[in-house]
Amino acid sequence: MKTLSYKVMLLAWVFVFQASMHCLAAPQPPQDDVVTKPVRYADFGAVGDGKTDDFAAIAKAHAYANKHGRSVEADDKATYYIGGAAKTVAIQTSTDFGKARFVIDDRELEDITKSVFEVQSANVAFRPKGIASLTKGQPRLDVTLPSACVVVVTDDSVRRFIRRGLNVNSGKPQTDVFIVGPSGKVDPDTAIIWDFKQITDIVAYPIDTEQLTITGGHFTTIANQASSEYNYHERGIAIRRSNVLVTGLEHHVTGEGETGAPYRGFINIMRCSNVTVRDCVLTGRKTYRTIGRAGKPVSMGSYDINVNRAVNISFINCTQTNDINDRRYWGIMGSNYCKNLVFDGCTLSRFDAHMGVANATIRNSTLGHMGINAIGTGTLLIENTTIQSRRMINLRPDYGSTWQGRFIIRNCIFKPYNGTRQVRPVLIAGSNDGKHDFGYTCYMPESIKIEGLRIEDTNVPGDYEGPAIFGDFNHRFVDEDYEEDFSYIKTKRVRLSGVTTSSGKPIRLSENEVMFRGVQLEQIDGD
């Protein structure tokens, strides 16, 4: 029995020794496991020679990365040619375009509505149940959500933004966008701005908690040469996911000819929140002429930046390739139905809010020939900024020149037309004769506070009397008997301090003293 036990023990020790030796000899997994390695376009057949169409290979690479949760990295030395196939590359993971070049050829397109890239969420949008109506400023919804969501609501029975002018229309369905937490609480910084007696549609887009980054890339669009009509092209990077950072990207444009259809935005942000575009270089697009909805010729342009139904969107340290004061190029940015838009450290030709923004901030920036065009609500804050357009702020007349809220202007410089053209400087311009129904009551900002403003009025007519705070919003409003069919609520208070002019002439209230006779003007230091 002792001999048998000894043999068993010996065999056991031999087994353990062999097993340990086998483990030592077995290959160990590399520290940079394949699961963590970025997916590369070349792995899926991309050539990167600038001639071979790599569109399909790029799409396959991202599809694989999306499925396996891996990032994507381009080859710094490659030039990827993207043709006109009716295809969109879905991006659901962080992507580093690096120093790679992308040539996007828009001369022959199968489908102009297809974006080249679309940054998507893996979360699926849904329609919350049981919400039949909403009220302005409502603090919470009677609903439980799986996560915080961007909620977009419409009511087709109510028409807002009934446009006036050369592109007249019958208005758009009442629309609002806001953030709702899991318990149903509405984020007060994105408060509901309309009453919804009924809801035609309501969609919730879950907000991703992890940030997705899009880094680098040198993109060149070979522009379409289609007829100059309102036939918007989508060929760019569509961002349809919340919590995204785009940084270090460049977009250039070549091949703009005698005719061309407009673009909706190379960077096109929609139905999302918390998106930052930082240190990017974009391009203003050529302005064309077409026939507007009123049957008369109008200027028509494209956007390189477009933001629609989105909240908490920031552009930081962004510039453009062409001169911000070159009037051959359309204003670079447009937006609709947004809240909390920010320009910080940007040098761009325009900030624009078409169908309303709730709260906008422009700081540390320089804006060119199309300046600030906006309508909306809340606070418009402009600080440490130089504005070189004809008017410092243009409240869009086609939508009633309305802003229900306040303006704050701090430590700014207003240099009309950058001094190149003769002009009578006006800080706030617009037009509303009270004879058109825009689908809402129109307001001028209730209060305006200007603290530190240098007006460089160096190129002015000989009979110039000094800059005006308000332009002539209604040249027919020449006596107290004038009646508006639709009320236009005037500003109550203007507070000035530290306002100086190059001409030495004092600032005036308005070019139309009758219309603005009820405005309380307070000048703190007598400037």
Side-chain angles (χ1 to χ4, degrees), residues 12 19 22 47 106 121 145 170 172 185 234 239 273 299 314 326 330 336 388 418:
H22 175 75
V47 178
D106 289 351
S121 173
L145 303 175
S170 58
K172 303 293 182 180
K185 182 180 178 181
E234 301 279 353
I239 298 176
S273 69
S299 295
S314 297
D326 192 332
W330 195 250
N336 295 294
Q388 300 173 347
N418 202 27

Side-chain angles (χ1 to χ4, degrees), residues 474-487:
N474 181 3
H475 66 275
R476 298 176 182 175
F477 204 137
V478 294
D479 57 51
E480 296 182 1
D481 294 331
Y482 184 82
E483 294 184 1
E484 298 169 336
D485 296 332
F486 303 94
S487 296

Side-chain angles (χ1 to χ4, degrees), residues 106 221-224 232-233 235 261-265 285 301-303:
D106 289 351
T221 294
I222 302 175
N224 78 78
Y232 281 98
H233 286 49
R235 297 269 293 179
Y263 287 83
R264 206 175 293 279
R285 304 294 188 95
S302 296
Y303 306 105

Side-chain angles (χ1 to χ4, degrees), residues 15-29:
F15 176 80
V16 170
F17 176 78
Q18 290 177 337
S20 63
M21 291 302 293
H22 175 75
C23 290
L24 289 173
Q28 300 299 310

